[in-house]
Amino acid sequence: MRILIVEDELRLADTLRRLLLRAGYTVDLRHDGAAGLDEALSGIYDLLVLDVMLPKMDGLSLLKTLRKQGSTLPVLMLTAKSELRDRVEGLDCGADYYLTKPFESEELLACVRALLRRENREDAVGLHWEDLTLEQRTVSLRCGDKTVPLSRKEYNLMALLLQNGQQVVTKEQILLKVWGYDTDAEDNSVEVYVSFLRRKLEHLSSRVRIRTRRSVGYCLEVAQ
Ligand code: CA
């Protein structure tokens, strides 16, 4: 699980980072709203921990932009103010939960676990797109009454493509999300796995195709 923290108070940011690292998460840190938004849009995160008062772009604007771009990334907002207006505005903008500073470490970790669990529950009922359903329980892909088993890498790659639909996923995003940062993946690994998935889609007689956007990445499309 990969978490992005956008927080400009350096000491608090560092405390949060160490806390989440100790809890076993992979953590990245950004100190201003503009850099935070770029990173949040990368599509490689499972959760965003977002401060409200930030330089360059405030947390609420970041969140609004993120949601406008279609991102469903779970967001935990941190606010120094306890005024109702800010909390309501945060939730209205698409935050999933908020914590008012100062908060206890245990409280933060509990929120993080709850938000990540919610995300996983959605996965567990299956990810749907057009005529396809990706089933987490059986690690398989279904179309109508046909089902094919997937390898773990095929599953993760298919999940990423289904989550993005017709939006292009870059090769870098795929490498980060499916293979991870410390990857020893060969240059053509992504192509190889895409070709495996294409064969399986054909076998399923799905109308969904994986389209190559040359030198950009991949996206899904529906055959007419
Ligand atoms: Ca701040």
Side-chain angles (χ1 to χ4, degrees):
M1 292 283 183
R2 194 174 196 98
I3 300 178
L4 173 64
I5 302 171
V6 185
E7 167 64 74
D8 61 322
E9 288 163 52
L10 298 184
R11 274 185 59 192
L12 175 60
D14 193 52
T15 306
L16 286 174
R17 192 177 63 87
R18 278 186 285 122
L19 184 67
L20 291 170
L21 281 174
R22 263 205 310 276
Y25 302 107
T26 307
V27 184
D28 291 317
L29 196 54
R30 292 294 179 273
H31 298 296
D32 70 72
L37 177 64
D38 275 352
E39 197 58 28
L41 283 169
S42 68
I44 64 166
Y45 293 98
D46 300 293
L47 178 70
L48 169 62
V49 178
L50 179 64
D51 184 28
V52 176
M53 303 293 278
L54 289 167
K56 293 192 183 167
M57 178 187 255
D58 67 86
L60 290 174
S61 306
L62 188 162
L63 184 55
K64 274 186 214 163
T65 312
L66 190 67
R67 293 297 184 237
K68 216 181 283 168
Q69 306 266 331
S71 168
T72 56
L73 179 65
V75 175
L76 171 58
M77 290 215 87
L78 305 179
T79 167
K81 306 181 217 163
S82 57
E83 284 108 16
L84 182 67
R85 193 175 51 84
D86 282 340
R87 282 183 261 156
V88 171
E89 202 179 345
L91 293 171
D92 276 350
C93 287
D96 297 274
Y97 203 81
Y98 69 87
L99 278 179
T100 305
K101 296 179 202 174
F103 45 80
E104 298 293 322
S105 318
E106 277 315 308
E107 195 182 3
L108 176 91
L109 288 174
C111 281
V112 166
R113 281 194 300 269
L115 288 171
L116 290 172
R117 252 201 316 275
R118 189 194 293 178
E119 181 77 336
N120 277 338
R121 248 201 322 276
E122 280 162 16
D123 274 3
V125 289
L127 199 53
H128 305 277
W129 202 80
E130 295 294 333
D131 56 9
L132 291 175
T133 304
L134 188 66
E135 302 208 5
Q136 191 188 39
R137 202 173 36 82
T138 53
V139 195
S140 61
L141 188 62
R142 182 160 55 80
C143 176
D145 51 7
K146 289 188 191 170
T147 302
V148 284
L150 300 178
S151 70
R152 182 47 68 180
K153 282 218 164 35
E154 287 171 338
Y155 177 91
N156 289 339
L157 175 55
M158 198 65 219
L160 189 58
L161 290 168
L162 289 170
Q163 278 157 3
N164 287 278
Q166 284 165 318
Q167 243 178 302
V168 175
V169 185
T170 66
K171 212 168 141 180
E172 289 70 34
Q173 286 174 319
I174 295 174
L175 281 170
L176 280 178
K177 193 84 184 183
V178 179
W179 275 267
Y181 265 123
D182 307 317
T183 178
D184 53 357
E186 300 287 327
D187 246 15
N188 65 350
S189 300
V190 176
E191 282 89 336
V192 170
Y193 276 86
V194 165
S195 75
F196 290 163
L197 285 177
R198 280 185 174 137
R199 244 177 285 164
K200 294 194 169 178
L201 289 174
E202 226 168 278
H203 171 77
L204 290 170
S205 319
S206 169
R207 294 191 300 124
V208 175
R209 306 272 185 272
I210 302 172
R211 183 170 168 203
T212 305
R213 298 285 297 271
R214 212 154 293 288
S215 67
V216 186
Y218 300 91
C219 64
L220 296 181
E221 64 178 10
V222 185
Q224 295 308 310

